[in-house]
Each structure stands twice: as structure tokens, then as C-alpha cells.
Amino acid sequence: MKETSIFKLIHRIEQMNNANIIRFTKAFPYPLGISPILVLSELHAKGPQKQAELAGTLGYTKGAMTSIAEKLVKLGLAERLYDPSDRRIIRLQITDEGEKALAKAQSIGQEVFMQLFDVLNDEEIAQYLLIQEKLVQGIQDKSL
């Protein structure tokens, strides 16, 4: 019975995630998915970085990172910085427009989640938070 319940839970999580992605995508005015937004967030937080560093941090392949970087540059959300002492060293940097896009993504994401959790009362939110914390702790314990 436990396995059946877990698979049912997994299915519900996928449904919820898919619905939220669709809602986010419809509201977000840029033609980007979550991966480029995560790159913008990383560039915002840590400043200019080599694409290989970004790929490693975010768990993307170098090829995927190249594609993401190209899209961000083409949209004017990021730019490539060439090291004056070694032109082989290229860093990606978020632009002002990229900062605006990231802020918009965060705002829309927050609104999507607020609407999602609006159906829960305070007690249910507290229970859900405890469950999420337990799951995160389980992941952390297993990765040690």
C-alpha cells in the first residue's frame, strides 16, 4: 500500500509542478524556461562567471550551458566579458535587462506560489512545511 501511495503522491506533485510551470510561462514575458532563469539568478548572486563554472554549479552539461548562454546573450539578458590579459577567458555577466527579467521571474514565481498555497489554512501550511523540512533533511543525510 505504501508504494501505491508514494506513486500517487509523485503523480500529484508532477501535476502541480506542470500546472505551475504553465501558469508561470503564460505570465512571464520573456521566451525563457527555468534553466536560463537559474543562470541569471546565479550571475546576479555571484557576479560574472565562466560558462564551465556555471554548468558545474547548476548541474548542466557544457553544451547545454553554451545554448543557454547564447540565448541569454541574444535576448540582451547577459553579455560575454573577455579577459583583457587572456582573451581565451570569457565570463558571462547579467545585464540590466537581465536583472529586470530576473526580478519579473521572481515576482511571478512568488505570485504563482502564493496562489497555490492560498487553498491551505495556517495549520496545513505548518504541516506541509514540516514535511518539506523532513524531506530536505533526508536528502542531505543521504548525500553525506
Side-chain angles (χ1 to χ4, degrees), residues 18-35:
N18 290 342
N20 279 338
I21 289 168
I22 290 167
R23 289 175 62 213
F24 175 86
T25 303
K26 284 181 180 179
F28 191 57
Y30 297 86
L32 297 175
I34 189 66
S35 295

Side-chain angles (χ1 to χ4, degrees), residues 29 84 100 141:
K100 290 177 192 170
D141 290 348

